[in-house]
Each structure stands twice: as structure tokens, then as C-alpha cells.
Amino acid sequence: MRRLQILLLVALGALVLSSCTLVSPNATPVHIAKSRVGLELLSPTIPGTNGARVRFNTQPVYIVDATGLLAPSSRIVPTPAALSTVIQQLLLGPLAIERLVGESSALPENLVLVSAFVRRQVGYLDFATSLRSLPRAEEMLAIGQLVLTAYDVGATKGVVVKVAGVVQALPTPSGKPQTLVTQQDFQSLLHS
């Protein structure tokens, strides 16, 4: 009984203290002159740099929708979009709100991207582990996610996937494994 009384007393004290404030509220906002705002917080460039700026843009990444097909979803990335940045966003998986409506990712949660870049309109993705441990249908969706996402970043001639630097022959929906997979190979997995 004594323990309950102490707990109630502590809870009541916390409630009383939480209603107190050290800063008195002001009914109307106070205008602060731009000259009094320090640390260059109103500057269009990054403080402490030689005029550097960061601009953001939305970039589509492909996730598995509730029907089991691939659908684009927007992510915010720095401009210009680099393949490695966009693939990292893809590897984070669907957002919480996307999960609530049944969307998911076929990519393993522990998949580690070693490098990603586009050269001559071909995307090169190097991972620490292979996708071959996935069931065939999930592996196909995972590769589709990577290829379609890379296509929208500039890998218009296709994608080459490496595991620890070794080029992988990837399965395609047509059944023919290829080392260079293209966006056309995975059109059948897109939600129309």
C-alpha cells in the first residue's frame, strides 16, 4: 500500500511540474529582425562552405504493392540523384504508412550495398551478399526493384549486379539468366 502511495505522489508531482513552464507564453508572435538572426540560418547556402547548396528532388523507387507486383513510390534525395543514394533509399524498405496498406520489399533487410554507379547508361550494383538465398519469386521481385529503380536514375541500358566484385547471372521473368538485365525484362512485374 505504501508503494502505491509513493507512486501516486510521484505521478501527481510530475503532473504538476509538467504544467509549469519557465518561459511565459506570449499571445502574439514577436518579430525578430533578420539582422539579429545569427549563424547565417537565413542564408540560402550551407554555413561555413564556399557557397555550397543542397537541393532535393523526389525520385521513384519500386516496392512490392499489396497485389504482389512492383509499383513506384517517391523518396526525397539530394539533386542530382546518384544511383548509390537512391538504392540506399530503396534498401530502407517501405515507409510505415506504405506498410499499413500492405506494401513491402522483396529485398532482404540485411542486404549491404558496397557500391553503385552509372557508367555509359549502365548501372553497376555491388552487394556484400547474394540474392540467391531468396525464394525464386522473391528473388525475381527483388531484382525487378533494383533494375526499375536504377532505370529512373539513368541506367537506361540495364544493370549489372555484382556480389563482392563478381558479376552475377540474374534470373529474368522469361527464364533466361543474364548478366545485363534491362527494364524491359521486368515490365511484366509492374503494376499497370
Side-chain angles (χ1 to χ4, degrees):
M1 186 67 179
R2 175 110 172 107
R3 209 178 245 179
L4 182 61
Q5 287 174 339
I6 292 173
L7 183 62
L8 286 174
L9 187 61
V10 168
L12 182 63
L15 182 64
V16 168
L17 288 175
S18 69
S19 64
C20 296
T21 178
L22 296 176
V23 179
S24 62
N26 192 348
T28 59
V30 176
H31 178 74
I32 299 174
K34 287 183 180 183
S35 61
R36 295 194 57 208
V37 177
L39 303 175
E40 299 178 33
L41 294 177
L42 298 177
S43 174
T45 61
I46 301 171
T49 65
N50 191 11
R53 294 175 182 242
V54 177
R55 295 192 176 153
F56 295 94
N57 197 6
T58 57
Q59 185 70 36
V61 298
Y62 286 81
I63 57 176
V64 181
D65 67 9
T67 65
L69 295 173
L70 299 178
S73 180
S74 293
R75 297 294 185 267
I76 297 173
V77 296
T79 302
L83 182 58
S84 59
T85 305
V86 177
I87 295 297
Q88 286 290 2
Q89 287 294 314
L90 176 64
L91 293 177
L92 291 175
L95 304 172
I97 195 164
E98 293 169 339
R99 281 193 211 101
L100 287 174
V101 295
E103 295 178 343
S104 61
S105 177
L107 294 163
E109 288 182 15
N110 59 353
L111 188 62
V112 175
L113 180 67
V114 176
S115 68
F117 58 91
V118 177
R119 184 183 307 138
R120 295 188 184 109
Q121 298 168 321
V122 175
Y124 295 89
L125 305 174
D126 193 359
F127 294 102
T129 57
S130 175
L131 297 172
R132 290 196 180 130
S133 62
L134 296 172
R136 177 81 169 174
E138 282 186 44
E139 180 183 16
M140 200 69 59
L141 285 171
I143 296 167
Q145 284 182 266
L146 294 169
V147 171
L148 295 171
T149 299
Y151 179 84
D152 287 334
V153 182
T156 54
K157 290 185 178 176
V159 171
V160 173
V161 174
K162 299 177 182 179
V163 174
V166 178
V167 175
Q168 303 293 298
L170 302 173
T172 61
S174 67
K176 180 181 160 192
Q178 298 174 194
T179 55
L180 176 68
V181 289
T182 66
Q183 178 245 4
Q184 284 94 12
D185 294 330
F186 292 89
Q187 284 293 315
S188 63
L189 300 180
L190 273 175
H191 187 88
S192 49

